[in-house]
Amino acid sequence: MTSPEQSSPQQHADRSYRSPAGLAGGVLLLALAAWLGGDALVRGAAHTKLLAVAGLLFAVPLVAAFTLRPLVRAGADRLVVRNPFRTVTLPWAAVEDLRASFSSEVFTTDGTKYQLWSIPVSLRQRKKANRQAARAAGRPDHHDPHLGPAPAPAAPPPRATADRALDELRELRERGAKRESAQGTPVVKWAYEVIAPCVVGAVALAVLLAL
């Protein structure tokens, strides 16, 4: 699931999307790592403490990268996609399409595809929404006046969260793609603050386990 948020009154078009399930899972995993690692650091022998430090150095950034870091921020001029190991800034003019099949994806005009980690696709939720839509479509649209007042029209069936989020992003793209300030090419920045400690921790773990 994702949660759209309005960013400010001045920038009413700005929205951000994160996965509440990912955030909750990340907090629980980090708490577990802190508990296990802290216990090893307090009670373990010297070699165990070194293993704990190396393990935390490897695991904590990795867990944070896949759970807390992912974010999609959409503004009037551009789409910013923050995935586990890189951040992609896409002016709306560079966005060709947005799709959600088994995962949410954005396609650029040059054919490059980027996954939207913070907008996961729930097939179960989508099937439920499709069933509700099918039931609503099968209801009769006429009413017998002899049966009394006509019932209030049913509300439209809800859509899956990922599909609804991508509908909003497509709308922002359509409004902003021709704006002069939305022109440009994609910019990709690697998250070295995540990659570097993971690599150091992995190397340290390999060395310590080999001793």
Side-chain angles (χ1 to χ4, degrees), residues 107-166:
F107 293 82
T108 64
T109 52
D110 63 2
T112 306
K113 177 178 70 176
Y114 300 102
Q115 189 172 349
L116 307 180
W117 280 80
S118 69
I119 308 180
V121 174
S122 171
L123 296 181
R124 180 179 180 183
Q125 189 181 72
R126 180 177 288 168
K127 289 179 181 178
K128 180 179 178 181
N130 289 340
R131 286 197 299 269
Q132 292 176 336
R135 286 197 296 268
R139 293 174 185 155
D141 56 1
H142 61 276
H143 177 69
D144 189 343
H146 299 291
L147 297 179
R159 300 196 68 198
T161 304
D163 296 330
R164 188 168 63 249
L166 262 66

Side-chain angles (χ1 to χ4, degrees), residues 12-173:
H12 63 278
D14 285 13
R15 299 180 184 183
S16 61
Y17 301 84
R18 305 190 77 160
S19 170
L23 294 173
V27 170
L28 290 176
L29 287 174
L30 291 176
L32 179 62
W35 175 51
L36 295 176
D39 184 70
L41 289 172
V42 171
R43 303 183 183 185
H47 189 262
T48 302
K49 292 181 179 180
L50 290 175
L51 280 173
V53 171
L56 289 173
L57 191 61
F58 170 71
V60 170
L62 201 62
V63 170
F66 281 94
T67 58
L68 306 183
R69 177 178 160 79
L71 169 70
V72 168
R73 181 176 290 114
D77 296 332
R78 60 188 52 83
L79 177 70
V80 178
V81 180
R82 195 171 73 191
N83 284 338
F85 298 116
R86 60 183 177 178
T87 299
V88 184
T89 302
L90 301 166
W92 284 123
V95 175
E96 179 70 25
D97 194 13
L98 294 125
R99 304 175 195 170
S101 52
F102 295 102
S103 63
S104 299
E105 300 163 339
V106 56
F107 293 82
T108 64
T109 52
D110 63 2
T112 306
K113 177 178 70 176
Y114 300 102
Q115 189 172 349
L116 307 180
W117 280 80
S118 69
I119 308 180
V121 174
S122 171
L123 296 181
R124 180 179 180 183
Q125 189 181 72
R126 180 177 288 168
K127 289 179 181 178
K128 180 179 178 181
N130 289 340
R131 286 197 299 269
Q132 292 176 336
R135 286 197 296 268
R139 293 174 185 155
D141 56 1
H142 61 276
H143 177 69
D144 189 343
H146 299 291
L147 297 179
R159 300 196 68 198
T161 304
D163 296 330
R164 188 168 63 249
L166 262 66
D167 286 344
E168 295 173 358
L169 293 177
R170 292 189 192 100
E171 181 181 351
L172 288 174
R173 172 188 168 273

Side-chain angles (χ1 to χ4, degrees), residues 2-17:
T2 58
S3 57
E5 305 168 357
Q6 296 292 340
S7 65
S8 69
Q10 291 78 13
Q11 294 178 320
H12 63 278
D14 285 13
R15 299 180 184 183
S16 61
Y17 301 84

